Amino acid sequence: MRDSSPLPPRAAVLSRRAALGLAAAVPLAAASRAAAATASATPSGAPPTATIGGELLGRGGVQVLGASGLPKRLTARSWLVADHDSGEVLASFDAHRPLAPASTLKMLFADTVLKKFERTERHRVTDADLAGIPAGSSLVGVKPGITYTVEQLWFGVFLRSGNDAVHVLSHMNGGVPETVAQMQAKAEDLQALDTHVVSPDGFDHKGQVSSAYDLTLFARHGLADADFRAYCSTRTADFPAGGKKTFQIQNTDRLLTGAWGVPTYDGLIGVKNGYTSHAGNTFTGAATRGGRTLLVTVMHPKSGGSGVYEETAALLDWGFRQGANARPVGMLVAPLSEGGGKAKPTGKAARPAAGAPARAERGGSSWGLAGGAGGAAVVLAGAAVVWRRRRRAAGTGEGPAPAPDAGASDGRLPDTGATGAGEPGPGDSGARHGR
C-alpha cells in the first residue's frame, strides 16, 4: 500500500531564502546575543558553530524560539524539526553533531542512484553482485541467479533495508567505490558537509558519519521525487523467491506499519529508519497534517527499541501543535545544483553560551527571521571542508551504543535465509546489524 497524499509545494522556499539573503546585511551582534540566550554548552564531540543553515544550528543544546511545550524526556543525542515546504528549522538539538547514521544513509544512496535506472529494468544477480556485503548486515533475501526488476530491488532497500539490494544496485551503477564517490559528491551538492560516506549501505565503518541536519536534507531532497516517496511510504510488497514464487516483505518503519505495538502516526509518509550496535537507532520521518508537512530526524536515543519512534512522534506532535508559533532557528539550504547559495564567510564563529541544561527548553527571544537572518548566513565552505577532513582523519570517535531494548525484533525470514532488519529485540544481544 502507498500513501498518496500530496506533499506541499516548495514554492515558498525561494522567498524565504531571499528574505534570509536580504537580512544577511544586518549586523550579527543582535543575533549572536539572542543565540547565546538560547544555547547551552557545546557537548563533547560537537562540530564548530556557525555552520551550514545558520549560526544557531551550530551551537550546542536545544535551539527553539517563540514556541513552548517541547517534549521533556528526549534522550536523543541529536534531533531536528523542520518545515518541508519552507525549509525553516523550527527546533533542534545539536543539529550538526557528527554521528554514525546507520541505514538512514540509504536516503543519500537513493538520492544518488534512484534516477539512474528505470523501475522496469531487469537485472540477473550474480555472485559478484553480492560480494563484500559486511557480515551481520540486514538482508532482504536477494539470491544469485534470480532476475529482479529495479523496482523490486528498491523495495528491498526501503522496506527491509537490505544491504544485499544496495550492493546489487551499486554494482549496476559501476561498483561500490564508484557509488560511494558519487554519494559523497551528492552530499556536497546538497551542502550536507557533516557527511562522510564510506559504504553505500550505512553499515558501521570507521569515519562514516552524518548529522541530523544532513539526514533531513537527504529526506527533503528525496521526497521531491515521486519514486522515492512511493518506495518509502510502501508498507508491504511481494519479493521474488525464485521461479514464480514470492514472499511478502514489510516495511520496518514502525510508525508506518504499527509493528511491535507502536501506534501508526496519522499522516506519516515515511522516510527511513536504521539501527546498528554502534549507531544505535536513527530515524528520519515525514508527516503531513492540515496541508503542512514536517520533517523530524532523531539520532541515537538512549531508550533503544521503539524509543526512536516515540521521540520522533513526540517531536512531530510538537511541530504540528506549536510549529506555527516557532520562529526559525535556521534553514534547510537548497542544493548547489538547484541554485542554492554556496557557503560564504561569516567571520570567526561565536562560542556558545554555557550554563544552560542541555535538554532545557528555551524561548522568548526577540530573534526573528528578519533580525536574525544575519546569524543564519552559512559559513565559509573552505572552513567546513577543513573541519570535515580533520573529522575523517580522527574517525567517528563514538563509543558503543546503549544496549538495545528487549522490546522488539523483526526476526528472521526463514523461507529465504535473509536476516532480520536489524531492529534490536529479544535474543539480539547488541549484535551488529546493517540497518
mmCIF file of all heavy atoms in Angstrom, residues 48-73:
data_model
loop_
_atom_site.group_PDB
_atom_site.id
_atom_site.type_symbol
_atom_site.label_atom_id
_atom_site.label_comp_id
_atom_site.label_asym_id
_atom_site.label_seq_id
_atom_site.Cartn_x
_atom_site.Cartn_y
_atom_site.Cartn_z
ATOM 1 N N PRO A 48 31.983 22.628 15.034
ATOM 2 C CA PRO A 48 32.090 24.066 15.245
ATOM 3 C C PRO A 48 30.754 24.754 15.028
ATOM 4 O O PRO A 48 29.858 24.232 14.380
ATOM 5 C CB PRO A 48 33.104 24.500 14.161
ATOM 6 C CG PRO A 48 33.837 23.259 13.792
ATOM 7 C CD PRO A 48 32.867 22.143 13.973
ATOM 8 N N THR A 49 30.605 25.969 15.600
ATOM 9 C CA THR A 49 29.372 26.724 15.457
ATOM 10 C C THR A 49 29.340 27.458 14.130
ATOM 11 O O THR A 49 30.283 27.451 13.361
ATOM 12 C CB THR A 49 29.258 27.739 16.605
ATOM 13 O OG1 THR A 49 30.386 28.605 16.547
ATOM 14 C CG2 THR A 49 29.186 27.048 17.933
ATOM 15 N N ALA A 50 28.200 28.122 13.860
ATOM 16 C CA ALA A 50 28.022 28.954 12.674
ATOM 17 C C ALA A 50 28.235 28.165 11.396
ATOM 18 O O ALA A 50 28.987 28.550 10.529
ATOM 19 C CB ALA A 50 28.951 30.165 12.727
ATOM 20 N N THR A 51 27.559 27.031 11.296
ATOM 21 C CA THR A 51 27.736 26.165 10.143
ATOM 22 C C THR A 51 26.573 26.314 9.171
ATOM 23 O O THR A 51 25.746 27.209 9.291
ATOM 24 C CB THR A 51 27.863 24.707 10.606
ATOM 25 O OG1 THR A 51 26.768 24.396 11.465
ATOM 26 C CG2 THR A 51 29.155 24.487 11.360
ATOM 27 N N ILE A 52 26.520 25.417 8.194
ATOM 28 C CA ILE A 52 25.502 25.466 7.152
ATOM 29 C C ILE A 52 24.101 25.514 7.765
ATOM 30 O O ILE A 52 23.773 24.755 8.659
ATOM 31 C CB ILE A 52 25.620 24.233 6.240
ATOM 32 C CG1 ILE A 52 26.954 24.224 5.508
ATOM 33 C CG2 ILE A 52 24.476 24.181 5.226
ATOM 34 C CD1 ILE A 52 27.147 25.340 4.525
ATOM 35 N N GLY A 53 23.295 26.443 7.259
ATOM 36 C CA GLY A 53 21.909 26.549 7.709
ATOM 37 C C GLY A 53 21.669 27.620 8.740
ATOM 38 O O GLY A 53 20.515 27.946 9.020
ATOM 39 N N GLY A 54 22.717 28.163 9.330
ATOM 40 C CA GLY A 54 22.542 29.225 10.302
ATOM 41 C C GLY A 54 23.351 29.008 11.559
ATOM 42 O O GLY A 54 23.614 27.887 11.981
ATOM 43 N N GLU A 55 23.744 30.114 12.182
ATOM 44 C CA GLU A 55 24.632 30.069 13.346
ATOM 45 C C GLU A 55 24.049 29.268 14.497
ATOM 46 O O GLU A 55 24.751 28.513 15.168
ATOM 47 C CB GLU A 55 24.939 31.493 13.811
ATOM 48 C CG GLU A 55 25.867 31.552 15.025
ATOM 49 C CD GLU A 55 26.117 32.969 15.501
ATOM 50 O OE1 GLU A 55 25.611 33.900 14.841
ATOM 51 O OE2 GLU A 55 26.801 33.120 16.518
ATOM 52 N N LEU A 56 22.746 29.420 14.747
ATOM 53 C CA LEU A 56 22.151 28.727 15.884
ATOM 54 C C LEU A 56 22.249 27.215 15.747
ATOM 55 O O LEU A 56 22.376 26.501 16.745
ATOM 56 C CB LEU A 56 20.685 29.140 16.051
ATOM 57 C CG LEU A 56 20.419 30.590 16.456
ATOM 58 C CD1 LEU A 56 18.931 30.829 16.610
ATOM 59 C CD2 LEU A 56 21.143 30.937 17.750
ATOM 60 N N LEU A 57 22.204 26.720 14.529
ATOM 61 C CA LEU A 57 22.270 25.280 14.330
ATOM 62 C C LEU A 57 23.654 24.726 14.638
ATOM 63 O O LEU A 57 23.812 23.522 14.847
ATOM 64 C CB LEU A 57 21.887 24.928 12.892
ATOM 65 C CG LEU A 57 20.467 25.295 12.469
ATOM 66 C CD1 LEU A 57 20.199 24.825 11.039
ATOM 67 C CD2 LEU A 57 19.435 24.706 13.424
ATOM 68 N N GLY A 58 24.650 25.564 14.655
ATOM 69 C CA GLY A 58 25.993 25.124 15.004
ATOM 70 C C GLY A 58 26.272 25.168 16.485
ATOM 71 O O GLY A 58 27.348 24.760 16.920
ATOM 72 N N ARG A 59 25.323 25.675 17.259
ATOM 73 C CA ARG A 59 25.521 25.783 18.706
ATOM 74 C C ARG A 59 25.007 24.537 19.407
ATOM 75 O O ARG A 59 24.099 23.874 18.933
ATOM 76 C CB ARG A 59 24.806 27.015 19.237
ATOM 77 C CG ARG A 59 25.431 28.317 18.741
ATOM 78 C CD ARG A 59 24.620 29.510 19.181
ATOM 79 N NE ARG A 59 25.251 30.753 18.731
ATOM 80 C CZ ARG A 59 26.132 31.443 19.463
ATOM 81 N NH1 ARG A 59 26.463 31.016 20.668
ATOM 82 N NH2 ARG A 59 26.674 32.548 18.986
ATOM 83 N N GLY A 60 25.604 24.235 20.546
ATOM 84 C CA GLY A 60 25.191 23.082 21.314
ATOM 85 C C GLY A 60 23.886 23.333 22.045
ATOM 86 O O GLY A 60 23.501 24.465 22.319
ATOM 87 N N GLY A 61 23.186 22.266 22.344
ATOM 88 C CA GLY A 61 21.977 22.347 23.144
ATOM 89 C C GLY A 61 20.734 22.613 22.329
ATOM 90 O O GLY A 61 20.762 22.691 21.100
ATOM 91 N N VAL A 62 19.618 22.765 23.044
ATOM 92 C CA VAL A 62 18.324 22.983 22.401
ATOM 93 C C VAL A 62 18.253 24.382 21.799
ATOM 94 O O VAL A 62 18.649 25.360 22.431
ATOM 95 C CB VAL A 62 17.179 22.799 23.423
ATOM 96 C CG1 VAL A 62 15.839 23.187 22.813
ATOM 97 C CG2 VAL A 62 17.134 21.360 23.923
ATOM 98 N N GLN A 63 17.751 24.462 20.591
ATOM 99 C CA GLN A 63 17.526 25.735 19.923
ATOM 100 C C GLN A 63 16.051 25.826 19.547
ATOM 101 O O GLN A 63 15.560 25.022 18.752
ATOM 102 C CB GLN A 63 18.398 25.859 18.669
ATOM 103 C CG GLN A 63 19.882 25.655 18.896
ATOM 104 C CD GLN A 63 20.478 26.685 19.831
ATOM 105 O OE1 GLN A 63 20.022 27.822 19.862
ATOM 106 N NE2 GLN A 63 21.496 26.293 20.581
ATOM 107 N N VAL A 64 15.326 26.768 20.130
ATOM 108 C CA VAL A 64 13.924 26.996 19.796
ATOM 109 C C VAL A 64 13.591 28.425 20.160
ATOM 110 O O VAL A 64 14.094 28.959 21.149
ATOM 111 C CB VAL A 64 12.993 25.998 20.529
ATOM 112 C CG1 VAL A 64 13.076 26.153 22.039
ATOM 113 C CG2 VAL A 64 11.554 26.125 20.046
ATOM 114 N N LEU A 65 12.769 29.063 19.350
ATOM 115 C CA LEU A 65 12.428 30.465 19.556
ATOM 116 C C LEU A 65 10.924 30.669 19.378
ATOM 117 O O LEU A 65 10.357 30.252 18.363
ATOM 118 C CB LEU A 65 13.174 31.358 18.559
ATOM 119 C CG LEU A 65 14.700 31.386 18.665
ATOM 120 C CD1 LEU A 65 15.304 32.029 17.427
ATOM 121 C CD2 LEU A 65 15.129 32.134 19.916
ATOM 122 N N GLY A 66 10.302 31.290 20.363
ATOM 123 C CA GLY A 66 8.924 31.722 20.229
ATOM 124 C C GLY A 66 7.883 30.654 20.436
ATOM 125 O O GLY A 66 6.698 30.916 20.283
ATOM 126 N N ALA A 67 8.265 29.432 20.753
ATOM 127 C CA ALA A 67 7.302 28.353 20.960
ATOM 128 C C ALA A 67 7.689 27.580 22.213
ATOM 129 O O ALA A 67 8.869 27.478 22.566
ATOM 130 C CB ALA A 67 7.259 27.423 19.756
ATOM 131 N N SER A 68 6.693 27.038 22.875
ATOM 132 C CA SER A 68 6.921 26.290 24.105
ATOM 133 C C SER A 68 6.437 24.859 23.933
ATOM 134 O O SER A 68 5.974 24.466 22.862
ATOM 135 C CB SER A 68 6.170 26.961 25.262
ATOM 136 O OG SER A 68 4.769 26.986 24.982
ATOM 137 N N GLY A 69 6.565 24.092 24.996
ATOM 138 C CA GLY A 69 5.981 22.762 25.023
ATOM 139 C C GLY A 69 6.785 21.662 24.381
ATOM 140 O O GLY A 69 6.229 20.598 24.077
ATOM 141 N N LEU A 70 8.095 21.860 24.160
ATOM 142 C CA LEU A 70 8.904 20.772 23.624
ATOM 143 C C LEU A 70 8.832 19.557 24.539
ATOM 144 O O LEU A 70 8.740 19.697 25.762
ATOM 145 C CB LEU A 70 10.365 21.201 23.482
ATOM 146 C CG LEU A 70 10.754 21.959 22.219
ATOM 147 C CD1 LEU A 70 12.168 22.502 22.343
ATOM 148 C CD2 LEU A 70 10.632 21.066 20.993
ATOM 149 N N PRO A 71 8.851 18.346 23.969
ATOM 150 C CA PRO A 71 8.855 17.145 24.810
ATOM 151 C C PRO A 71 9.978 17.204 25.840
ATOM 152 O O PRO A 71 11.100 17.580 25.520
ATOM 153 C CB PRO A 71 9.085 16.013 23.798
ATOM 154 C CG PRO A 71 8.584 16.562 22.499
ATOM 155 C CD PRO A 71 8.893 18.025 22.533
ATOM 156 N N LYS A 72 9.675 16.819 27.059
ATOM 157 C CA LYS A 72 10.632 16.994 28.160
ATOM 158 C C LYS A 72 11.563 15.807 28.365
ATOM 159 O O LYS A 72 12.549 15.928 29.068
ATOM 160 C CB LYS A 72 9.866 17.274 29.458
ATOM 161 C CG LYS A 72 9.048 18.562 29.413
ATOM 162 C CD LYS A 72 8.394 18.839 30.750
ATOM 163 C CE LYS A 72 7.546 20.115 30.697
ATOM 164 N NZ LYS A 72 8.364 21.308 30.364
ATOM 165 N N ARG A 73 11.254 14.661 27.803
ATOM 166 C CA ARG A 73 12.053 13.475 28.084
ATOM 167 C C ARG A 73 12.770 12.951 26.839
ATOM 168 O O ARG A 73 12.902 11.751 26.641
ATOM 169 C CB ARG A 73 11.175 12.379 28.685
ATOM 170 C CG ARG A 73 10.594 12.761 30.035
ATOM 171 C CD ARG A 73 9.818 11.615 30.661
ATOM 172 N NE ARG A 73 9.298 11.980 31.976
ATOM 173 C CZ ARG A 73 8.593 11.169 32.753
ATOM 174 N NH1 ARG A 73 8.330 9.933 32.327
ATOM 175 N NH2 ARG A 73 8.150 11.571 33.918
#
